[in-house]
Amino acid sequence: MVRFGYTMLTEQAGPRELVGHVVRAEGAGFDFSVASDHYFPWLRSQGHAPYVWSVLGAAAQATSRIPLMTYVTCPTFRYHPAVVAQKAATLHLLSQGRFRLGLGSGENLNEHVVGGGWPSVDVRHERLEEAVEIIRELFRGGHVTRHGTHFTVESARLWDLPDQPPPIGIAVSGEQSCALAGRLADLVIATEPKAGLLEAFDRHGGEGKPRVGQLPVCHDPDREAAVERAHAQFRWFGSGWKVNSELPHPDAFEGATQFVTPDDVADAIPCGDDPEVFVEAVRPYAEAGFTEIALVQIGGASQEPFLDWSARTLLPALREAFA
């Protein structure tokens, strides 16, 4: 059976609201949750970007069942991998084993703030591979000293470690990242329903491991209002990762998406309140082989109606379709 998750999208709600939303998602019956790790929103209309690790710590205490996950953290620019390892181990303890560490090579949008420049994708993948190796070594306990190509670690040790470390997921978008994930990850993460990504992950050692996808949706009893909101806040989504990872500021996304129409968005994102439309949008992910799919409800102020509708209508429909 496919598992269905809820996304705490930090770009569209404040920290207290995000914690309240995941509490309601747990009550609604979602199987897991994920949270974005941003310093900037994609567009100014989204309007938020709190520190997700504080949000997740609060969520770990406010919930009791629902698993938590970063979707995704870049451990190579804003954060040193030794610090990411400490944060992840602490959150795994706080949540009593409910945390998974989702990692990726990052977006210029968030990582430019520390002034380190934005290298080529090959270098970003090199940095990610080295970071994952450091995090795993720290998870094993003991002191770690390392002088690598990109990172230095001087006699680091995690003093509070769970009995079992949090699983590590790696986000993929092409052959190179799939090869990295197949070698180093416990699960794979993707935002597009491309079977080829999962096949490449399997070829490089990922066979049998969980695969987590993500789908934006926009529920509203008024479909036109849903389309308008999706266009205002999520028209950046269709640009593809090669574009989205490179642009440095919300204003750049405004310019890059100025010719995207509401109809374009409605063609890509299920809008309205017909559960069958949402089921059909999920179907390509299920058919591609994703075992978990996290839904992103667009619009911070629309979360509670969406969660109520999900408990009553959407989740039963999805589980019936993909049992």
Side-chain angles (χ1 to χ4, degrees):
M1 180 181 290
V2 178
R3 300 171 70 235
F4 297 100
Y6 172 77
T7 300
M8 291 181 277
L9 197 72
T10 60
E11 303 94 289
Q12 66 179 13
R16 292 182 64 85
E17 290 76 17
L18 289 163
V19 174
H21 296 158
V22 75
V23 169
R24 290 184 71 118
E26 180 176 65
F30 278 92
D31 298 313
F32 67 99
S33 67
V34 304
S36 56
D37 186 348
H38 271 238
Y39 202 93
F40 272 76
W42 299 99
L43 298 170
R44 289 180 180 270
S45 57
Q46 291 178 312
H48 294 275
Y51 183 57
V52 74
W53 291 90
S54 297
V55 172
L56 286 168
Q61 296 301 291
T63 59
S64 60
R65 177 195 59 81
I66 194 167
L68 306 167
M69 179 179 176
T70 49
Y71 203 100
V72 293
T73 286
C74 175
T76 57
F77 291 92
R78 274 183 299 151
Y79 309 136
H80 190 284
V83 177
V84 173
Q86 184 188 35
K87 292 192 288 192
T90 298
L91 191 52
H92 204 44
L93 289 167
L94 283 171
S95 65
Q96 297 182 304
R98 289 184 285 134
F99 179 65
R100 294 182 292 179
L101 176 61
L103 300 175
S105 58
E107 300 96 25
N108 196 10
L109 175 71
N110 302 303
E111 309 308 322
H112 77 270
V113 298
V114 294
W118 193 238
S120 70
V121 67
D122 288 345
V123 173
R124 301 200 305 263
H125 285 152
E126 286 177 10
R127 291 174 69 95
L128 178 59
E129 181 165 1
E130 191 172 325
V132 174
E133 291 171 352
I134 291 167
I135 291 167
R136 285 211 182 275
E137 191 171 358
L138 285 164
F139 281 171
R140 287 193 287 271
H143 289 271
V144 175
T145 294
R146 181 184 180 117
H147 297 89
T149 303
H150 300 287
F151 299 105
T152 297
V153 182
E154 292 286 358
S155 191
R157 177 186 172 185
L158 300 182
W159 289 86
D160 290 277
L161 269 174
D163 293 335
Q164 296 295 325
I168 293 176
I170 292 179
V172 300
S173 59
E175 184 73 25
Q176 191 177 50
S177 54
C178 287
L180 194 157
R183 293 195 311 275
L184 298 178
D186 301 305
L187 57 135
V188 70
I189 295 165
T191 58
E192 297 177 282
K194 294 182 177 179
L197 293 175
L198 304 185
E199 291 163 3
F201 176 63
D202 288 347
R203 284 198 305 275
H204 293 286
E207 189 170 357
K209 297 176 182 178
R211 46 223 53 211
V212 186
Q214 189 179 56
L215 172 69
V217 302
C218 199
H219 164 263
D220 198 293
D222 181 342
R223 184 177 183 278
E224 291 305 312
V227 171
E228 181 179 346
R229 186 168 70 247
H231 179 259
Q233 296 195 21
F234 241 76
R235 63 184 180 274
W236 58 271
F237 186 75
S239 300
W241 218 247
K242 288 185 178 180
V243 174
N244 290 345
S245 64
E246 299 291 341
L247 298 181
H249 193 273
D251 292 346
F253 283 89
E254 295 281 355
T257 59
Q258 62 183 309
F259 299 115
V260 177
T261 69
D263 286 343
D264 294 332
V265 173
D267 286 342
I269 295 174
C271 296
D273 66 348
D274 182 349
E276 289 307 311
V277 172
F278 288 66
V279 166
E280 291 309 309
V282 166
R283 192 173 301 281
Y285 288 84
E287 291 179 347
F290 285 88
T291 57
E292 304 177 42
I293 302 162
L295 304 180
V296 186
Q297 164 65 3
I298 298 170
S302 68
Q303 298 302 303
E304 292 184 6
F306 167 73
L307 290 165
D308 291 343
W309 179 72
S310 294
R312 184 176 63 251
T313 302
L314 180 59
L315 287 173
L318 289 171
R319 286 171 178 143
E320 181 178 359
F322 301 108

